[in-house]
């Protein structure tokens, strides 16, 4: 077996994949071992820690929803993440931007835009939210429950360092029924 195949089998095992019949004997013996479990736990801890620091808003919301651990595990299990924290953070938020929860989708896209526009005041990014983002962002940053009153109204959010506070939001017109 060549080194590349050996490394691939170890990576698959570390990220939670199964043993394959053509894996080297060493990799086959690792499956189910305490050592492998410890390595997975350490990698999960450090990856979660790094993503918490880079994706503050998205991970804050996931924690409020009780989904943080599951989403981190799913991300790690994909095995397709960069060792670079910033790139892995972007990958994680892109994964979240396709979640079934429209609020988490918007939040992840918002946070991606914040990172993309942080150094150039000439850059603008816009995305739609299913509600006013103000109460949601305040709840994440202040650690309290979101105070959303009435029927949520969609908003368009524009992110740019040229805007006061880094972003602006505008309510979208209510869809006409008729």
């Amino acid at each position: 077996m060549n080194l590349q195949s050996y490394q691939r089998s170890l990576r698959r095992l570390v990220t939670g994949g199964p043993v394959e019949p053509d894996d080297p004997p060493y990799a086959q013996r690792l499956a189910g071992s305490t050592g492998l479990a410890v390595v997975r736990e350490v990698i999960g801890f450090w990856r979660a820690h790094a993503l918490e620091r880079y994706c503050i808003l998205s991970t804050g919301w996931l924690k409020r929803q009780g989904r943080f651990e599951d989403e981190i595990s799913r991300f790690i299990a994909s095995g397709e993440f960069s060792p670079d924290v910033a790139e892995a953070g972007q990958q994680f938020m892109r994964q979240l931007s396709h979640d079934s929860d429209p609020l988490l989708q918007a939040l992840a896209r918002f946070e991606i835009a914040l990172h993309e526009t942080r150094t150039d005041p000439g850059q603008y990014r816009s995305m739609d939210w299913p509600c006013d983002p103000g109460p949601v962002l305040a709840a994440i940053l202040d650690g309290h429950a979101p105070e959303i009153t009435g029927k949520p109204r969609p908003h368009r959010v524009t992110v740019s360092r040229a805007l006061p506070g880094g972003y602006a939001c505008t309510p979208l017109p209510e869809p006409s029924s008729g």
Side-chain angles (χ1 to χ4, degrees), residues 9 12-13 16-24 27-32 36:
S9 67
R12 184 176 6 83
L13 288 173
V19 175
E20 304 227 341
D22 62 339
D23 282 343
Q28 291 184 11
R29 285 191 310 271
L30 278 177
L36 180 60

Side-chain angles (χ1 to χ4, degrees), residues 6-85:
Y6 182 74
Q7 289 172 331
R8 259 191 296 240
S9 67
L10 288 179
R11 178 181 176 172
R12 184 176 6 83
L13 288 173
V14 166
T15 57
V19 175
E20 304 227 341
D22 62 339
D23 282 343
Y26 174 73
Q28 291 184 11
R29 285 191 310 271
L30 278 177
S33 72
T34 302
L36 180 60
V38 169
V39 167
R40 286 177 179 162
E41 186 177 331
V42 168
I43 288 172
F45 171 82
W46 283 110
R47 183 58 55 191
H49 177 70
L51 292 174
E52 278 181 281
R53 294 181 56 88
Y54 189 82
C55 313
I56 294 168
L57 300 172
S58 298
T59 59
W61 187 254
L62 286 171
K63 284 180 176 185
R64 292 175 97 29
Q65 304 301 310
R67 296 181 50 198
F68 177 72
E69 297 296 330
D70 289 343
E71 290 302 322
I72 292 292
S73 294
R74 190 165 68 96
F75 180 65
I76 291 171
S78 75
E80 299 299 322
F81 54 83
S82 171
D84 176 67
V85 172

